[in-house]
Each structure stands twice: as structure tokens, then as C-alpha cells.
Amino acid sequence: MTEKEKAKAGYLYNANYDSEIVNEIEKCTDLCYEYNQIKPSDEENKNRLLKQIIGNLGENAKVTAPFWCDFGYNLYIGDFFYSNHNLVITDGAKVEIGDHVFIAPNVCITTAEHAIDAEQRNAGLEVAKPIKIGNNVWIGAGTVILGGAEIGDNSVIGAGSVVKKDIPPNVIAFGVPCRPIRQITEEDKKRYPQYPKDNI
């Protein structure tokens, strides 16, 4: 098997010294670098470059620079996505992000898990585990989402959390490690003051 095939199958693979992988990462990070230099108001060029970087990019997706990913083609991002500054995604495995997902600043989504054994790690071996984020999810600032985790629809992840296990839908979850704290209810519509005519 090639190193890419090993990664896709869930085996340890050489992510650091395999020429095919190194070249693909270099190509993607060059595109990310170019994206990060574009004037913020230049929506046309930002959209053009994002479509080159991201494997599947939904409608009305906004990614605030700086943004970094490793391969790009492993990213599946839904409609009405928004990420704030400093989103980093190490996408050695598939990362699926649903519709209407909001990501706050300084979030890291990483499929990579390095070998625990020092000899294997020094040889450049790691494992890539997929990540799935459902629809209508809000991820707070400084959150880290680790490989193998899934976040259910409509859930909110509190700032500074480390998500290493699945989070069910319709909950507020936070902590290190991140865990569900409570269900989201109709009462949450009353949490913040609302102008009377808005009535959402």
C-alpha cells in the first residue's frame, strides 16, 4: 500500500518523509499562504482560491484569514459556514462539516495522532482519524477537536474545550475533556435581550 492508502485505511503511515505526501502538503500550504495574503475585501479572489484549496465547499462559506490546512481535498464544508481568524485543520483524514456551522477564533481541528512509541514517532509515523461536525454547530474560541470525534447537530462547544469523544446533538458541552453539560431548550431563546420586532 502507498502511504496515502495506509492513512485512508486507518494504519500508521509516514506523514513526514513520504515524498508524495510532502509534496501535496507543500502545494496546499502554498495555496493557504496565498489565500492569507489576499486583501480581506477581495471576495472574488478569496472565493476563487478557497475552491482550489477545499475539496467540497458549500454555498456562502466564509473563511477569515489566516487559515491553514494540510491537504484540502479531505475537507467537506457545508453551506453558510463561517470561521473566524486562525482556523487550523490538519486533514490527513476526512473532515466533514455541516451547514450553518460557526467557528470562533483560534480553533484547531486535527485528525492527526502521532505514534506514542518514540521510535515510530521519530520515523515520521502517525494515524489519521476522521472528524465529523453536524449542522448548526457553534464552536467556541480556542477549542481543539481531536481525531475520531463527532459533534451532533445543533450543539454548542464552549470556549477552550478539548473534544476527544463524541458529543451528542442539541447540547451545550465544554471542558477538558469536553463533555455535555445540559440540553439546549426553548428557554435558551430568552437568554439574550431581543428587539421586540425581531421575534426569532
Side-chain angles (χ1 to χ4, degrees):
M1 298 177 80
T2 66
E3 297 306 306
K4 283 177 64 175
E5 289 169 339
K6 290 176 190 175
K8 191 172 182 179
Y11 293 115
L12 281 170
Y13 74 103
N14 188 324
N16 297 282
Y17 304 117
D18 178 76
S19 60
E20 181 182 19
I21 289 174
V22 168
N23 289 338
E24 287 189 350
I25 291 174
E26 187 175 82
K27 179 181 176 184
C28 183
T29 52
D30 277 353
L31 287 171
C32 289
Y33 176 84
E34 186 178 345
Y35 179 80
N36 293 331
Q37 309 311 307
I38 296 173
K39 187 177 179 180
S41 60
D42 189 353
E43 295 293 338
E44 182 179 347
N45 275 318
K46 288 197 303 184
N47 289 333
R48 174 186 59 81
L49 222 28
L50 271 184
K51 288 175 182 176
Q52 291 180 49
I53 295 168
I54 295 171
N56 185 73
L57 184 66
E59 297 296 319
N60 297 299
K62 304 290 183 187
V63 177
T64 306
F67 162 70
W68 297 98
C69 62
D70 284 345
F71 297 96
Y73 56 73
N74 283 327
L75 299 181
Y76 297 78
I77 294 176
D79 298 336
F80 298 98
F81 170 83
Y82 173 78
S83 68
N84 213 314
H85 300 281
N86 298 320
L87 173 61
V88 175
I89 305 178
T90 63
D91 58 322
K94 188 174 184 180
V95 176
E96 294 181 80
I97 300 175
D99 298 333
H100 294 278
V101 171
F102 296 168
I103 298 181
N106 301 314
V107 168
C108 176
I109 300 171
T110 178
T111 66
E113 187 172 312
H114 295 278
I116 293 172
D117 177 79
E119 187 177 0
Q120 291 179 331
R121 191 169 59 249
N122 292 342
L125 299 182
E126 63 184 61
V127 165
K129 297 180 178 180
I131 292 171
K132 186 173 183 180
I133 299 170
N135 299 314
N136 311 310
V137 171
W138 173 20
I139 298 171
T143 294
V144 177
I145 302 172
L146 300 176
E150 182 171 339
I151 300 172
D153 293 348
N154 310 313
S155 285
V156 174
I157 307 299
S161 296
V162 176
V163 182
K164 56 187 268 185
K165 293 184 178 178
D166 291 354
I167 301 297
N170 305 302
V171 299
I172 295 173
F174 57 83
V176 180
C178 187
R179 63 198 181 284
I181 303 301
R182 68 171 178 85
Q183 290 284 317
I184 295 171
T185 70
E186 284 298 309
E187 286 300 305
D188 287 302
K189 286 185 181 291
K190 303 173 186 176
R191 181 174 177 86
Y192 304 107
Q194 189 171 186
Y195 186 70
K197 290 184 179 180
D198 290 340
N199 194 29
I200 296 173

